[in-house]
């Protein structure tokens, strides 16, 4: 954090005489800024600084401000009457200055910046709420709030830049380099800078920089890839590649069995959401691809085409409710990436404000390393709020009703439902699923199809669960109308989210899994006990399901890769669930493949808790790389992926340490 410098000048106190509202560009600006002398900044890289002062505006409501991974974070929903909590820093006698800050709001309630802050009752603030469709510039004088600028508009982004310039009596505010308000007002002539939230428990602030001036320079917006590419619909002999750009442009995919352009598909229609379907793929084959949009050419990525229809071995991951905390979602995704997956299943609520255009911050960015190569199949959740963005950003096999669909993969058959109405029966934005509705009739038809009935495994994915001990909701419509169908048609397992915990149980031969630990605010206690639920775990997590013919192996892992729950279903014998201990009984250390090229998966187990580290040594005994520093681990089984950087080809020693004691060594071979 830099030192604080002050500026001095005098201002006359004038009435506000002018409001000018300028047009905006949503995803990119047409202006750029030329920055003057830096007065002060904080990038939040060295913990919480004493320079910041926290003020909670509402009596009896407390904020939760802290610093983590380079972000200043506020995770309390405190607030009422457009007041909540704020935090300030800088110099009280700053007068003419400009500042810029990056804001990330995964919640869609009020968030913004404050400036010329003198005390809790006197300051300006520039803030917004996507949910309430407001963008505002206010001043607080002697505890009273006055409008200076107002736009009844839903802001579509989670992550964006705010810039404010203060020159004499003129205040100008920008969102993503586009001017929103310009006012003349000199009631408050000097003061500090800071941030504010109201009823927002998903507020992240990346940096704030204060300058003596910021000058505007007009520019044309530049084309950029917002997120992607990502894989969809890797089924049969086809695969779909999708990506998102900030401006409309053409779409092109080059692909082949090596990272060279053997074939290409071009769509000359100009669009921002790009979708290219590749056909005539050879099954179970590694393909390489890259995307082109305008002058942008991506790196080469790879994916495996679908397994053959008669395949009986596959592995997929399962998780849900990845909204709100992208830091936790990133940790879950990293742990998930240690496994070679045929596909990923999400039971919904990808983003907290699914009605906004920005799915990058909460979902696509945390999952990008997985989604380059692994297709994901998603169930719509209630936080999507029936938004058209959900169906725009994902490719579905059903064109008439994209939010409920089915697919066959190898010896499995999946049915995805849109059942948010069962949790919110009065919300007509969600489609009906009760007896006699179009979706109900479709579900009956799908369950009865030969593809479903002849599959070794029949699964249903829906966001709202059927039985829960963590929720006090009973979900009567699900139990009374939908559950009988599962039992009649022999559904093996039902995967759901909505509850931000892990629950497992069975009822009349159907297994019910709730796996809502992808990133949302966690549940912490049970509300009741019911016979249909046997296991409840709390915390961020995901699941790995491995199928070998008529045998299924299911393991729940926490966000660091520790196994928490495990069961098996064996259809060769009597269908049963066998719960196994997930604690390691002895030390183990393995890696795959060996030799390896770009990356290697490392698996290890420890029978006792301790400060655990993984290190790489050369054959002379010199330490070369620390893969995992001295992090505290509970007893259990762990997995991580390591990609060498700066090492030459050769033999190395992989070493496992617990509390400073070398427990195991493994020789590994790196081939560039």
């Amino acid at each position: 954090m830099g030192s604080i410098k002050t500026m001095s000048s005098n201002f006359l106190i004038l009435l506000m005489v002018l409001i000018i509202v300028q047009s905006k560009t949503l995803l990119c600006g047409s202006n750029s800024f030329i920055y003057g002398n830096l007065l002060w900044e904080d990038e939040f890289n060295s913990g919480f600084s004493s320079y910041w002062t926290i003020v909670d505006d509402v009596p009896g409501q407390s904020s939760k401000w802290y610093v983590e991974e380079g972000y200043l974070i506020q995770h309390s929903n405190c607030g009422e009457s457009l007041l909540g909590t704020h935090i300030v820093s800088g110099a009280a006698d700053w007068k003419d200055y400009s500042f810029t800050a990056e804001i990330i709001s995964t919640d869609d309630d009020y968030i913004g910046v404050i400036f010329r802050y003198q005390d809790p009752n006197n300051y300006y603030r520039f803030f917004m709420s996507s949910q309430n469709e407001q963008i505002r510039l206010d001043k607080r004088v002697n505890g009273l709030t006055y409008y200076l600028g107002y736009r009844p508009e839903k802001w579509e982004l989670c992550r964006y830049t705010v810039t404010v310039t203060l020159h004499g009596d003129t205040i100008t505010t920008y969102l993503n380099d586009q001017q929103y308000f310009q006012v003349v007002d000199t009631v408050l002539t000097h003061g500090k800078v800071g941030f504010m939230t109201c009823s927002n428990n998903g507020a992240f602030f990346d940096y704030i920089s204060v300058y003596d001036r910021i000058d505007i320079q007009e520019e044309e917006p530049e084309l950029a890839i917002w997120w992607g590419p990502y894989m969809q619909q890797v089924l049969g002999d086809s695969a779909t590649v999708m990506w998102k750009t900030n401006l409309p442009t053409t779409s092109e995919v080059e692909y082949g069995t090596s990272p060279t352009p053997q074939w290409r598909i071009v769509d000359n229609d100009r669009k921002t959401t790009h979708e290219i379907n590749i056909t005539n793929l050879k099954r179970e084959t590694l393909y390489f691809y890259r995307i082109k949009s305008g002058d942008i050419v991506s790196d080469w990525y790879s994916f495996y085409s679908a397994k053959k229809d008669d395949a009986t071995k596959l592995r997929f991951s399962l998780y849900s409710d990845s909204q709100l905390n992208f830091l936790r979602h990133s940790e879950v995704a990293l742990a998930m990436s240690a496994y070679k997956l045929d596909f990923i299943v999400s039971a919904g609520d990808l983003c907290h404000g699914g009605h906004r255009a920005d799915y990058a911050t909460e979902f696509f960015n945390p999952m990008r390393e997985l989604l380059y190569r692994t297709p994901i199949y998603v169930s719509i959740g209630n936080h999507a709020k029936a938004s058209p963005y959900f169906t725009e950003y994902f490719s579905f096999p059903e064109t008439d009703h994209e939010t409920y669909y089915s697919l066959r993969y190898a010896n499995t058959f999946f049915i995805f439902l849109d059942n948010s109405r069962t949790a919110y029966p009065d919300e007509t934005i969600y489609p009906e699923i009760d007896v006699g509705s179009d979706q109900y009739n479709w579900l009956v038809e799908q369950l009865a199809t030969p593809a479903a009935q002849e599959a070794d495994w029949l699964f249903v994915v829906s966001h709202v669960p059927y039985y829960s001990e963590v929720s006090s909701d009973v979900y009567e419509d699900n139990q009374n109308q939908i559950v009988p169908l599962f039992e009649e048609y022999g559904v093996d397992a039902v995967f759901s989210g909505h509850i931000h915990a892990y629950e497992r149980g069975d009822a009349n031969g159907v297994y019910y899994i709730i796996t809502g630990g992808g990133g949302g605010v966690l549940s912490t206690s049970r509300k009741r006990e019911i016979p249909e639920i046997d296991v409840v775990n709390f915390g961020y997590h995901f699941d790995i399901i491995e199928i070998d013919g008529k045998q299924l192996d299911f393991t729940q892992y926490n966000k660091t890769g520790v196994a928490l729950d495990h069961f098996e279903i064996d259809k060769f014998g009597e269908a049963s669930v066998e719960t196994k201990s997930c604690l390691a009984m002895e030390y183990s250390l393995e890696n795959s493949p060996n030799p390896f090229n770009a990356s290697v998966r490392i698996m290890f187990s420890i029978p006792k808790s301790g400060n655990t580290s993984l290190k790489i040594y050369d054959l002379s005994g010199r330490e070369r790389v620390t893969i995992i520093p001295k992090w505290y681990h509970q007893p259990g089984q762990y997995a991580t992926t390591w990609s060498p950087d700066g090492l030459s080809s050769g033999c190395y020693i992989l070493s496992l340490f617990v509390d400073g004691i070398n427990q195991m060594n493994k020789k590994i071979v790196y081939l560039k």
Side-chain angles (χ1 to χ4, degrees):
M1 184 160 147
S3 61
I4 298 177
K5 301 179 181 179
T6 61
M7 304 175 62
S8 62
S9 61
N10 294 319
F11 297 93
L12 297 175
I13 299 177
L14 300 174
L15 294 175
M16 194 254 310
V17 296
L18 178 65
I19 297 177
I20 302 175
V21 178
Q22 300 288 343
S23 62
K24 63 136 187 168
T25 300
L26 176 61
L27 302 181
C28 62
S30 58
N31 295 321
S32 65
F33 297 124
I34 300 174
Y35 300 99
N37 297 316
L38 180 67
L39 303 180
W40 174 85
E41 67 177 355
D42 198 341
E43 296 180 342
F44 311 114
N45 290 326
S46 56
F48 199 88
S49 170
S50 60
Y51 286 102
W52 289 94
T53 300
I54 298 171
V55 178
D56 293 338
D57 301 302
V58 183
Q61 297 187 23
S62 299
S63 60
K64 296 179 182 177
W65 291 94
Y66 60 97
V67 171
E68 181 184 359
E69 296 187 28
Y71 294 99
L72 173 65
I73 302 171
Q74 201 291 115
H75 275 178
S76 166
N77 215 35
C78 63
E80 60 185 51
S81 301
L82 294 184
L83 292 175
T85 180
H86 61 268
I87 188 169
V88 294
S89 190
D93 58 352
W94 275 343
K95 293 185 177 179
D96 274 11
Y97 61 90
S98 301
F99 69 93
T100 185
E102 184 161 290
I103 289 179
I104 306 97
S105 182
T106 53
D107 195 349
D108 49 7
D109 278 304
Y110 295 98
I111 189 171
V113 296
I114 57 181
F115 48 94
R116 284 186 174 166
Y117 180 92
Q118 298 173 8
D119 57 54
N121 292 316
N122 294 276
Y123 57 86
Y124 296 102
R125 60 181 183 176
F126 177 44
F127 66 112
M128 69 172 64
S129 167
S130 295
Q131 177 175 269
N132 295 286
E133 299 188 2
Q134 295 185 22
I135 301 175
R136 298 169 52 135
L137 175 63
D138 289 356
K139 65 178 176 182
R140 294 267 296 165
V141 179
N142 298 324
L144 299 177
T145 301
Y146 302 89
Y147 280 118
L148 296 180
Y150 177 79
R151 178 82 69 88
E153 176 184 310
K154 180 180 73 175
W155 184 247
E156 297 282 2
L157 303 181
C158 297
R159 180 186 290 265
Y160 54 93
T161 300
V162 174
T163 303
V164 177
T165 64
L166 306 168
H167 295 294
D169 58 2
T170 303
I171 301 169
T172 311
T173 63
Y174 301 83
L175 291 175
N176 272 10
D177 305 344
Q178 279 295 305
Q179 183 175 313
Y180 256 69
F181 303 115
Q182 186 175 78
V183 304
V184 175
D185 188 279
T186 57
V187 173
L188 303 174
T189 61
H190 60 277
K192 300 179 180 181
V193 295
F195 302 107
M196 58 78 63
T197 73
C198 177
S199 304
N200 189 314
N201 65 351
F204 301 77
F205 305 93
D206 199 358
Y207 68 84
I208 184 168
S209 301
V210 181
Y211 301 88
D212 60 356
R213 71 183 189 284
I214 297 177
D215 299 320
I216 311 302
Q217 177 175 295
E218 292 189 3
E219 284 186 350
E220 290 297 321
E222 293 185 1
L223 177 67
I225 295 177
W226 194 5
W227 67 70
Y230 55 103
M231 299 304 303
Q232 292 278 278
Q233 300 282 1
V234 183
L235 300 169
D237 66 348
S238 67
T240 298
V241 181
M242 297 187 70
W243 67 98
K244 182 76 172 175
T245 54
N246 62 329
L247 298 173
T249 187
T250 57
S251 315
E252 181 177 343
V253 170
E254 295 180 331
Y255 66 102
T257 53
S258 62
T260 55
Q262 293 174 263
W263 307 287
R264 71 186 187 118
I265 302 174
V266 179
D267 182 352
N268 287 317
D269 290 342
R270 300 176 66 83
K271 59 190 72 173
T272 59
T273 301
H274 306 267
E275 182 174 345
I276 295 289
N277 183 245
I278 306 171
T279 58
N280 298 317
L281 299 175
K282 184 178 179 181
R283 296 289 191 95
E284 301 182 20
T285 300
L286 179 65
Y287 284 91
F288 296 84
Y289 74 97
R290 67 181 182 184
I291 62 172
K292 293 184 176 182
S293 278
D295 295 330
I296 297 176
V297 181
S298 76
D299 295 332
W300 284 97
Y301 304 103
S302 64
F303 70 94
Y304 277 94
S305 55
K307 290 189 172 179
K308 297 177 181 177
D309 291 341
D310 59 359
T312 57
K313 288 187 177 183
L314 65 144
R315 178 193 289 137
F316 65 94
S317 65
L318 168 70
Y319 83 129
S320 185
D321 295 81
S322 53
Q323 78 272 29
L324 211 63
N325 195 324
F326 59 89
L327 298 178
R328 302 291 81 81
H329 186 198
S330 296
E331 292 171 343
V332 170
L334 179 62
M336 205 186 301
S337 68
Y339 298 88
K340 182 178 179 182
L341 303 169
D342 291 298
F343 52 87
I344 302 164
V345 172
S346 169
D349 275 3
L350 310 178
C351 302
H352 181 81
H355 60 289
R356 291 182 290 186
D358 184 0
Y359 278 43
T361 303
E362 295 168 86
F363 181 72
F364 283 108
N365 286 347
M367 288 290 286
R368 60 181 176 268
E369 297 297 330
L370 276 166
L371 298 185
Y372 288 152
R373 64 182 186 270
T374 310
I376 187 167
Y377 304 103
V378 295
S379 175
I380 191 169
N382 59 285
H383 275 278
K385 300 178 183 177
S387 165
Y389 293 123
F390 180 85
T391 53
E392 176 185 342
Y393 296 159
F394 297 94
S395 178
F396 299 99
E398 303 278 358
T399 56
D400 293 336
H401 42 78
E402 294 180 298
T403 60
Y404 53 97
Y405 59 98
S406 66
L407 60 90
R408 177 189 174 188
Y409 191 93
N411 62 341
T412 67
F413 192 87
F414 285 82
I415 297 175
F416 290 77
L417 298 178
D418 183 351
N419 73 336
S420 292
R421 189 75 170 265
T422 60
Y424 305 97
D426 297 330
E427 295 287 345
T428 57
I429 61 171
Y430 304 123
E432 294 181 352
I433 194 173
D434 55 342
V435 174
S437 66
D438 290 343
Q439 186 176 186
Y440 181 92
N441 294 336
W442 173 87
L443 172 60
V444 173
E445 293 173 359
Q446 291 299 306
L447 289 168
T449 59
Q453 291 301 304
E454 294 172 6
D456 289 335
W457 299 96
L458 177 55
F459 301 127
V460 172
V461 185
S462 61
H463 182 64
V464 178
Y466 301 79
Y467 303 99
S468 172
E469 291 187 344
V470 176
S471 173
S472 57
D473 293 332
V474 178
Y475 307 115
E476 291 183 352
D477 287 345
N478 275 343
Q479 293 181 19
N480 296 335
Q481 302 186 55
I482 309 302
V483 163
L485 296 179
F486 297 160
E487 297 172 1
E488 178 182 355
Y489 288 96
V491 171
D492 292 296
V494 179
F495 306 132
S496 301
H498 195 57
I499 310 303
H500 296 178
Y502 171 85
E503 301 187 57
R504 170 174 68 82
D506 67 281
N508 298 324
V510 182
Y511 301 106
Y512 294 90
I513 306 295
I514 299 175
T515 181
V521 176
L522 293 172
S523 302
T524 57
S525 63
R526 303 185 191 206
K527 299 294 191 299
R528 58 193 173 131
E529 292 188 6
I530 57 176
E532 293 84 3
I533 297 298
D534 301 314
V535 177
V536 174
N537 289 328
F538 299 103
Y540 299 105
H541 67 274
F542 66 98
D543 316 301
I544 296 294
I545 297 92
E546 301 198 50
I547 290 175
D548 186 355
K550 293 179 181 276
Q551 293 179 311
L552 180 147
D553 184 285
F554 184 108
T555 307
Q556 179 213 6
Y557 294 93
N558 72 6
K559 65 185 178 66
T560 62
V562 178
L564 301 178
D565 184 42
H566 177 86
F567 69 90
E568 297 176 2
I569 304 174
D570 186 350
K571 287 190 174 183
F572 288 110
E574 181 180 354
S576 63
V577 174
E578 178 186 358
T579 304
K580 295 183 176 181
S581 170
C582 293
L583 299 182
M585 300 305 295
E586 59 185 16
Y587 292 104
S588 68
L589 181 63
E590 300 292 336
N591 65 282
S592 177
N594 196 17
F596 70 97
N597 183 289
S599 63
V600 60
R601 181 188 175 204
I602 299 171
M603 297 77 68
F604 64 94
S605 301
I606 58 173
K608 66 175 185 177
S609 60
N611 293 317
T612 305
S613 58
L614 282 176
K615 297 185 177 182
I616 296 291
Y617 293 85
D618 59 26
L619 296 183
S620 69
R622 182 163 60 102
E623 182 180 332
R624 302 298 299 272
V625 177
T626 297
I627 301 175
I628 297 178
K630 291 181 180 179
W631 290 347
Y632 183 80
H633 287 67
Q634 295 283 356
Q637 304 160 352
Y638 297 84
T640 188
T641 299
W642 174 55
S643 299
D645 184 15
L647 288 183
S648 58
S649 297
C651 294
Y652 295 90
I653 302 298
L654 171 65
S655 297
L656 170 66
F657 292 84
V658 178
D659 290 333
I661 300 174
N662 183 201
Q663 299 292 347
M664 295 202 72
N665 297 306
K666 185 83 173 181
K667 182 181 288 187
I668 62 175
V669 180
Y670 172 42
L671 299 177
K672 283 189 176 180

